[in-house]
Amino acid sequence: MADPTTDIPGYWDRYIQGVTRQGPEEAPVLEWTQYPGHGPGAELLGEPSTALELGFGRGDAVAALASRGVKAAGVDVSPVAVRTAQQRWEHLGAEFHHADVTEFLGGTARRWEAVYSAWGAAWFTDPSVLFPLVHDRLEPGGRFVFSHASAVPGSYGVQGMYGAGFNGRRVWVYRWAYEPEEWENILTGHGFGQVRVWEETAPEEDHVGTVIGVAIR
């Protein structure tokens, strides 16, 4: 069957269709690493009353916060992700918006006490564009938290990958990869304070770690 992906939203539509679970719904959780039950949890966000996720995927993290009484919202470029998350989690009071994250942040006057990205848009958006927008949309003292895979040693900055492999349509996405020290410099350069970025090691030796960043407006 020919690959139907023709654009970036279509790429993420296909992704979410591949990771949406079937069967009985489990309690939603917010996790920062790719290893279930490993690493820190929602405590990295502090105790916000409002929170926004950038690129929410299945919507589990937004739902987990909403279930704790946080006014939780998320934004994602995939219409399939939005519809799926709404069907699964809107009963908790969670908000799910369909938009490009930079357009959403640039087009709203709302502020949040926490903005975060767990393997989401902070990995796939130019930080020189995204980070100033996040800073502007945080309440004073608010937290920005993100996570993604650790960089391949010696391979830093913007990196591209074809979404359909090498024999499909020419649809590609970009990711940004840096060592923790460089992420700290980037965050500080965009006005964030109390910056800490580290690599959370994997639960098994020689497995891929997770870069986690926390910064305050």
Side-chain angles (χ1 to χ4, degrees), residues 26-103:
E26 299 177 2
V29 295
L30 193 166
E31 295 185 303
W32 302 104
T33 81
Q34 63 271 49
Y35 306 105
H38 175 72
E43 69 274 5
L44 293 186
L45 297 176
E47 297 182 358
S49 62
T50 59
L52 174 69
E53 182 169 13
L54 307 177
F56 55 77
R58 297 177 65 244
D60 291 20
V62 179
L65 292 175
S67 68
R68 300 180 186 185
V70 178
K71 189 174 182 180
V75 56
D76 202 291
V77 75
S78 164
V80 171
V82 175
R83 289 195 300 270
T84 302
Q86 287 173 337
Q87 292 168 2
R88 296 171 68 219
W89 303 124
E90 269 195 331
H91 68 281
L92 297 174
E95 298 177 26
F96 298 100
H97 302 277
H98 175 223
D100 173 88
V101 296
T102 59
E103 294 176 1

Side-chain angles (χ1 to χ4, degrees), residues 46-207:
E47 297 182 358
S49 62
T50 59
L52 174 69
E53 182 169 13
L54 307 177
F56 55 77
R58 297 177 65 244
D60 291 20
V62 179
L65 292 175
S67 68
R68 300 180 186 185
V70 178
K71 189 174 182 180
V75 56
D76 202 291
V77 75
S78 164
V80 171
V82 175
R83 289 195 300 270
T84 302
Q86 287 173 337
Q87 292 168 2
R88 296 171 68 219
W89 303 124
E90 269 195 331
H91 68 281
L92 297 174
E95 298 177 26
F96 298 100
H97 302 277
H98 175 223
D100 173 88
V101 296
T102 59
E103 294 176 1
F104 180 82
L105 291 171
T108 183
R110 293 177 63 180
R111 292 181 183 271
W112 291 267
E113 294 178 8
V115 175
Y116 67 99
S117 168
W119 291 71
W123 196 17
F124 294 93
T125 309
D126 185 345
S128 69
V129 176
L130 180 64
F131 286 10
L133 292 169
V134 172
H135 189 275
D136 287 347
R137 301 275 46 91
L138 277 171
E139 295 281 7
R143 296 194 186 193
F144 177 36
V145 185
F146 64 87
S147 70
H148 54 72
S150 57
V152 175
S155 181
Y156 308 118
V158 60
Q159 303 174 348
M161 65 179 187
Y162 284 109
F166 299 122
N167 59 353
R169 290 195 173 105
R170 294 182 68 249
V171 178
W172 59 88
V173 295
Y174 294 111
R175 296 183 296 196
W176 277 258
Y178 298 100
E179 292 292 335
E181 295 80 5
E182 183 57 24
W183 277 122
E184 290 180 346
N185 292 335
I186 293 170
L187 286 161
T188 300
H190 288 294
F192 290 94
Q194 301 180 46
V195 174
R196 181 186 174 218
V197 184
W198 71 97
E199 181 176 336
E200 189 77 18
T201 57
E204 295 186 50
E205 187 176 358
D206 295 330
H207 283 53

